[in-house]
Amino acid sequence: ECNLVAGSFVMRSLQTGALMMRVARRVSSHGARRALSTPFPGIEKGMWPSPNARPPPRTGDGGGSGNDELHLVFLEGGAGVGKANILWKLNKLGYDIHADGFVKRCLDHPQYPPDSAVALHEWAGGMLSAIDDARERSRAGLVRDNVVFFGRSLLSPAVYARGLPCAVYYRQVMQEVRQAHSSSMVLCRSEGYAVTQRMSGRLFDAKPAEREVRLALGEDEEAYQRSVEEAYGQLEQEGWFDAILDTSSSKLGVAALLHALDIGPAPAPEE
């Protein structure tokens, strides 16, 4: 029964196109998923395709080694939804990640105010450089399962532009990145209590310089964080995201993500 549920999930996901590009290459001409035992009940409920997904047409080869194309997975969502925890666990499993957060960029370049266009440009530049680095590592055969996970995408500078005209520019950049690379856009969502706990913990543990940046970014302002959440909701309605991932539990989130992409540690053989 679990395998039937998992198979149904994958078939629904394939209809969204971009999310299951890697799975599609491992599916037979009859559409049957290769045999995989479900790691535990409910895993297929942790990630589901967005009904609004409208992935852009591909125009580039995306790089990669051999016949296996490099695949980029962009995890998106507001502060505190659990992206960093997901990336940390993925990295522990041997996956390449890019987790260059905006706060770190602001601390590395204190000459630019956190709400400036230059700070956003520095952030976006780091992401684009990381994509180029991923291509090189993939061509050298150094990327596990030829998948690289990003803690943000070029949509983040658009969401956090605070009315600056560069927001439109970064949406266009993200569109072109998706056209050039095999990729999945995943919107992370978490229970409200988990987000509140993570945000409070960050401010409490932050050193003075980091805390100052976080306060300047409005991480303690409920109204602003709500506006960010609404912005991501609007992007989801516009079709930017292929799937939605429940990140209330990072353990379940990682398992569901790897299961949906059909990668990760091989399941234990049945006795």
Side-chain angles (χ1 to χ4, degrees), residues 172-202:
Q172 178 64 29
V173 172
M174 189 64 236
Q175 181 88 350
E176 294 178 7
V177 166
R178 294 212 66 190
Q179 290 174 337
H181 300 276
S182 171
S183 63
S184 298
M185 291 283 289
V186 180
L187 178 61
C188 298
R189 286 180 176 166
S190 186
E191 296 289 345
Y193 76 87
V195 174
T196 300
Q197 186 178 51
R198 291 167 186 148
M199 296 294 285
S200 298
R202 286 180 184 179

Side-chain angles (χ1 to χ4, degrees), residues 11-246:
M11 292 308 297
R12 292 198 311 272
S13 300
L14 283 171
Q15 295 173 359
T16 67
L19 170 64
M20 292 302 172
M21 283 181 181
R22 292 189 57 82
V23 177
R25 290 198 293 271
R26 300 182 183 183
V27 174
S28 72
S29 60
H30 299 289
R33 188 174 186 267
R34 70 177 176 88
L36 265 183
S37 62
T38 303
F40 50 85
I43 190 172
E44 72 284 346
K45 298 180 181 179
M47 183 173 177
W48 58 95
S50 168
N52 304 307
R54 292 192 295 273
R58 290 287 310 285
T59 59
D61 63 7
S65 59
N67 295 320
D68 194 13
E69 184 180 23
L70 173 68
H71 191 73
L72 310 176
V73 179
F74 296 98
L75 303 180
E76 268 289 3
V81 295
K83 299 181 298 296
N85 293 338
I86 296 289
L87 290 178
W88 183 82
K89 284 181 166 57
L90 288 168
N91 192 234
K92 293 284 285 185
L93 291 173
Y95 286 100
D96 280 33
I97 66 168
H98 177 70
D100 184 7
F102 187 53
V103 172
K104 180 180 182 301
R105 282 277 168 179
C106 291
L107 292 172
D108 290 342
H109 302 277
Q111 68 272 32
Y112 304 124
D115 59 352
S116 68
V118 178
L120 291 173
H121 182 72
E122 286 282 350
W123 193 21
M127 295 184 208
L128 291 171
S129 295
I131 292 173
D132 290 339
D133 292 342
R135 285 168 57 92
E136 294 303 315
R137 284 181 55 78
S138 175
R139 287 168 177 161
L142 301 175
V143 178
R144 178 173 183 179
D145 292 327
N146 238 352
V147 179
V148 178
F149 296 89
F150 287 72
R152 289 283 186 179
S153 76
L154 277 303
L155 284 183
S156 284
V159 170
Y160 290 94
R162 297 172 181 265
L164 292 172
C166 58
V168 175
Y169 168 77
Y170 286 120
R171 287 165 65 105
Q172 178 64 29
V173 172
M174 189 64 236
Q175 181 88 350
E176 294 178 7
V177 166
R178 294 212 66 190
Q179 290 174 337
H181 300 276
S182 171
S183 63
S184 298
M185 291 283 289
V186 180
L187 178 61
C188 298
R189 286 180 176 166
S190 186
E191 296 289 345
Y193 76 87
V195 174
T196 300
Q197 186 178 51
R198 291 167 186 148
M199 296 294 285
S200 298
R202 286 180 184 179
L203 287 172
F204 181 81
D205 295 333
K207 294 180 179 180
E210 178 185 346
R211 180 179 174 82
E212 183 178 347
V213 170
R214 292 191 178 279
L215 291 176
L217 293 173
E219 290 195 1
D220 65 332
E221 299 174 15
E222 183 177 344
Y224 178 66
Q225 294 305 323
R226 187 164 53 251
S227 72
V228 169
E229 183 179 350
E230 291 171 353
Y232 277 111
Q234 180 61 38
L235 289 170
E236 196 274 326
Q237 290 295 316
E238 293 174 8
W240 280 94
F241 299 106
D242 302 304
I244 300 168
L245 177 67
D246 186 346

